[in-house]
Amino acid sequence: AYQATDLSLMAGHLINKPQDQAYDKKLRQAYIVMQDGRLCVLTSFRAEDIQSWTVQETDGAFQSVAVGAGQTYFIVKRGTTYFLERLDNGVYTDCSFVFETETAQTTFTGLSVLNGKTVKIVADEIVLPDQVVQEGQIVLDYPAQTVVVGLPFTHTVVPLPPSIGAS
């Protein structure tokens, strides 16, 4: 008989009032949105006996999650506005804006949600110094065609205590 393992046993301290969930079969990740706006993610590789929980927080609050057409989408409340955001494993910032222009330019607008925030910038695959968004825009020192602008995030890794067996 098939016997399922309760994977939430490892995350009782993380799971608190879940309000939405979705599963990405390709990435083998379960996303669980909590009422407090956090997102808990379980990555599971059963054949390899690997299960890993993590908590993701944003400058705002996760409200909902959905997986469809090979993409993972979130509704995120930032201030009083709701945004539909897509998970992109190739973009390394939160609340990201990706600009692709035919001709290189120095001014990129449409960033009013980030007003007053310090953002990370990657222009034509070059990491530039951080900037504070003012009047919904950033101005680069040099023209660029492909620019990614978004909020920084920090990875915190907490290892498990060592398992010391009796010999």
Side-chain angles (χ1 to χ4, degrees), residues 4 48 55-56 146:
E48 294 83 0
V55 175
Q56 295 183 13
T146 302

Side-chain angles (χ1 to χ4, degrees), residues 36-55:
D36 64 5
R38 294 177 310 129
L39 176 71
C40 291
V41 182
L42 168 66
T43 302
S44 180
F45 292 88
R46 287 186 182 256
E48 294 83 0
D49 196 27
I50 297 172
Q51 291 83 35
S52 173
W53 281 96
T54 188
V55 175

Side-chain angles (χ1 to χ4, degrees), residues 122-139:
V122 178
D124 293 335
E125 299 184 10
I126 298 170
V127 177
L128 300 181
D130 295 354
Q131 282 192 36
V132 176
V133 176
Q134 297 177 353
E135 298 178 8
Q137 68 181 17
I138 59 164
V139 179

Side-chain angles (χ1 to χ4, degrees), residues 78 81 83 85 94-99 101 105-117 119 132-139 147-151:
R78 298 183 187 279
T81 306
F83 293 87
E85 299 185 11
D94 185 24
C95 190
S96 303
F97 290 79
V98 179
F99 299 95
T101 62
Q105 59 190 53
T106 57
T107 303
F108 294 86
T109 61
L111 302 169
S112 59
V113 69
L114 298 173
N115 271 339
K117 306 233 185 251
V119 294
V132 176
V133 176
Q134 297 177 353
E135 298 178 8
Q137 68 181 17
I138 59 164
V139 179
V147 176
V148 178
V149 179
L151 298 172

Side-chain angles (χ1 to χ4, degrees), residues 8 11-18 32 34 38 40-41 53 55:
S8 66
H13 62 294
L14 302 178
I15 308 296
N16 184 21
K17 298 183 181 176
I32 305 170
M34 302 298 144
R38 294 177 310 129
C40 291
V41 182
W53 281 96
V55 175

Side-chain angles (χ1 to χ4, degrees), residues 55-72:
V55 175
Q56 295 183 13
E57 296 173 327
T58 187
D59 184 32
F62 290 99
Q63 300 292 302
S64 187
V65 59
V67 175
Q71 299 290 328
T72 302

